[in-house]
Amino acid sequence: MKNLFEKWKAGIPKYSEVHKDLFTSLSQKFGAEGEKKINLGKHFSTNYELYTYAFFLGLYNNEFAPIPDGEKKTDFSHHIQHWGSKTTVSTRKDFTNLQENMFIALLAKTDIDLVALEKGELDEDDAVKLLIKTMESYTNGGLILIKEKLEENPNYFLQPTSFLNMILETKINV
């Protein structure tokens, strides 16, 4: 399993371009910390922080929403293993535990025959593709929930606890 985790975290998950405006308005590409983040009006310091939040929001709400075939996908060119990297920002927390928890959740929610994987009957690269697809689907579901909340109330995220409230209002279905 360790090899599967290493291969998964070397991946770069995608999201639907339909949600590109959410990343533009809520997070900062290449990162923004502290005062810079506040001055830019961003809620998340980096795109992968919004991606991670949307994944867990979708997971906790059981919003599995695969990106439709033919819909254009994009990414922010950042491997999972570098999310929360302490090498670039001294104030950043290490995301290793978060990556491990995401991986465990994905293993639980993805239909992978682990015995076949161990026997070599299932290719590890195919298993990683399934894990990434599951990740993208829950993230897409979370992004849809965020978009719906913004459509319902454009000022919703001006409240300092709005993102926490969305998680707390969830009936955890994991």
Side-chain angles (χ1 to χ4, degrees):
M1 279 311 150
K2 185 172 183 171
N3 196 31
L4 187 63
F5 175 66
E6 295 300 321
K7 285 187 175 187
W8 168 77
K9 70 179 191 172
I12 302 174
K14 297 187 180 301
Y15 61 93
S16 172
E17 280 209 355
V18 169
H19 302 301
K20 204 167 192 164
D21 60 321
L22 288 177
F23 283 90
T24 303
S25 64
L26 298 175
S27 65
Q28 178 63 32
K29 190 172 184 173
F30 309 121
E33 293 291 332
E35 193 173 315
K36 182 179 178 188
K37 180 176 85 170
I38 294 166
N39 289 343
L40 293 171
K42 306 295 182 178
H43 297 279
F44 295 92
S45 295
T46 62
N47 285 339
Y48 64 79
E49 288 179 1
L50 173 56
Y51 196 96
T52 301
Y53 173 82
F55 166 75
F56 281 108
L57 183 65
L59 179 71
Y60 293 164
N61 282 280
N62 206 23
E63 287 292 327
F64 186 83
I67 300 170
D69 291 335
E71 198 165 289
K72 192 165 181 182
K73 294 181 181 182
T74 190
D75 62 58
F76 37 89
S77 304
H78 207 61
H79 299 268
I80 298 166
Q81 64 194 358
H82 299 301
W83 294 6
S85 172
K86 294 184 92 169
T87 58
T88 55
V89 180
S90 61
T91 59
R92 177 155 315 283
K93 299 264 191 269
D94 182 18
F95 277 29
T96 304
N97 288 341
L98 187 60
Q99 293 166 7
E100 291 168 349
N101 290 330
M102 291 174 83
F103 179 74
I104 292 166
L106 289 168
L107 269 180
K109 290 294 200 174
T110 306
D111 187 20
I112 295 176
D113 185 343
L114 297 176
V115 174
L117 182 65
E118 283 296 317
K119 288 181 175 180
E121 297 167 359
L122 174 62
D123 183 63
E124 280 187 347
D125 291 337
D126 291 338
V128 169
K129 286 177 188 171
L130 291 171
L131 292 168
I132 294 287
K133 185 173 175 95
T134 300
M135 183 180 192
E136 291 173 351
S137 297
Y138 280 112
T139 302
N140 193 49
L143 291 169
I144 290 168
L145 292 173
I146 294 168
K147 188 172 256 184
E148 287 172 351
K149 191 62 85 169
L150 275 171
E151 289 169 356
E152 182 182 303
N153 178 1
N155 296 322
Y156 179 81
F157 293 111
L158 295 178
Q159 304 165 24
T161 60
S162 55
F163 288 97
L164 174 62
N165 292 344
M166 281 189 80
I167 293 285
L168 294 176
E169 292 165 2
T170 298
K171 291 181 183 166
I172 298 183
N173 297 313
V174 180

